[in-house]
């Protein structure tokens, strides 16, 4: 149990679960190592190289992420999947080609590729729209791992979205847990 004294009160407040690490029905204060609690943390860090031959494409990476979760041996934890490039995205949604087409149309309305002259960034490059599309779709996803499986809802699927392809780019997959 931790006791917090608030400056505007003369009575202390007892707080039972602030800044502590729960393990086997005991609370370990900050600074105690997980090993002292009898817990061992597993981690796996992998990079997936993407080489998309066209400028834009939605690519399923779901099976590869599932495979890496299995390889990690993590039964309970989290997986982070991060597009390590500023013109690509990782997202979760339905694995349905009509929806992917709708994303393409919607994003093109929000940040059209052409004319290139509309963007200040395009003084030396022609990919300002790709930066903006990535900002909208996001950089990464974090998914719970439960019983050694990705813990996703019905129809949820993990994708890589390339906005400025025709060159190699990396994804980071980081899995942590027990």
């Amino acid at each position: 149990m931790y006791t917090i004294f608030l400056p505007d009160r003369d009575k202390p407040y007892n707080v039972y679960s602030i800044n502590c690490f729960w393990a086997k029905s005991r609370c370990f204060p900050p600074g105690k190592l997980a090993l002292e609690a009898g817990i061992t943390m597993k981690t796996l860090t992998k990079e997936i190289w993407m080489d998309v031959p066209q400028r834009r494409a939605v690519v399923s990476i779901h099976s590869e992420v599932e495979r890496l979760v299995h390889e990690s041996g993590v039964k309970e934890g989290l997986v982070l999947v991060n597009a390590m490039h500023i013109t690509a995205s990782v997202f979760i949604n339905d694995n349905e080609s009509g929806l992917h087409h709708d994303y393409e149309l919607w994003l093109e309305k929000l940040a059209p590729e052409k004319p290139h002259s509309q963007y200040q960034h395009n003084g030396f490059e022609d990919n300002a729209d790709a930066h903006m599309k990535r900002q909208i779709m996001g950089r990464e996803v974090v998914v719970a791992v439960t019983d050694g499986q990705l813990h996703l809802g019905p129809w949820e699927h993990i994708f890589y979205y390339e906005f400025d392809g025709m060159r190699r780019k990396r994804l980071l997959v980081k899995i942590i847990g027990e």
Side-chain angles (χ1 to χ4, degrees), residues 103-157:
Y103 270 135
E104 186 63 26
L105 294 177
W106 177 64
L107 289 169
E108 193 58 24
K109 286 178 187 174
L110 293 173
E113 178 186 350
K114 294 177 181 173
H116 294 145
S117 61
Q118 69 185 310
Y119 300 108
Q120 298 264 328
H121 175 74
N122 283 346
F124 301 100
E125 301 180 64
D126 65 355
N127 66 352
D129 68 300
H131 290 273
M132 293 178 184
K133 289 168 178 149
R134 185 273 178 91
Q135 195 68 31
I136 293 165
M137 293 301 291
R139 176 178 188 254
E140 68 217 357
V141 298
V142 176
V143 179
V145 175
T146 305
D147 294 326
Q149 304 290 318
L150 293 173
H151 199 142
L152 293 166
W155 310 113
E156 289 190 318
H157 197 88

Side-chain angles (χ1 to χ4, degrees), residues 3-14:
T3 303
I4 298 176
F5 293 89
L6 300 176
D8 60 340
R9 308 269 184 185
D10 42 337
K11 286 181 151 183
Y13 286 84
N14 292 327

Side-chain angles (χ1 to χ4, degrees), residues 23-54:
K24 298 181 182 175
S25 300
R26 292 185 7 205
C27 180
F28 293 85
K32 286 278 191 179
L33 297 174
L35 290 175
E36 291 180 36
I39 294 176
T40 56
M41 182 74 68
K42 296 177 185 175
T43 66
L44 177 74
T45 303
K46 294 281 185 165
E47 290 182 353
I48 301 171
W49 284 91
M50 304 298 292
D51 196 358
V52 176
Q54 60 268 39

Side-chain angles (χ1 to χ4, degrees), residues 1 10 14-15 19 29 46-47 67 92 112 133 148 160 172:
M1 178 175 70
D10 42 337
N14 292 327
V15 180
N19 289 332
K46 294 281 185 165
E47 290 182 353
R67 187 190 71 71
I92 296 174
K133 289 168 178 149
Y160 171 79
L172 172 70

Side-chain angles (χ1 to χ4, degrees), residues 47-90:
E47 290 182 353
I48 301 171
W49 284 91
M50 304 298 292
D51 196 358
V52 176
Q54 60 268 39
R55 181 172 167 92
R56 288 195 297 271
V58 175
V59 179
S60 172
I61 56 171
H62 193 94
S63 296
E64 182 63 11
V65 174
E66 282 182 325
R67 187 190 71 71
L68 291 173
V69 167
H70 179 73
E71 179 183 322
S72 75
V74 169
K75 298 298 179 199
E76 301 292 327
L78 297 171
V79 58
L80 164 85
V81 185
N82 170 29
M84 295 178 66
H85 227 276
I86 54 177
T87 57
S89 179
V90 176

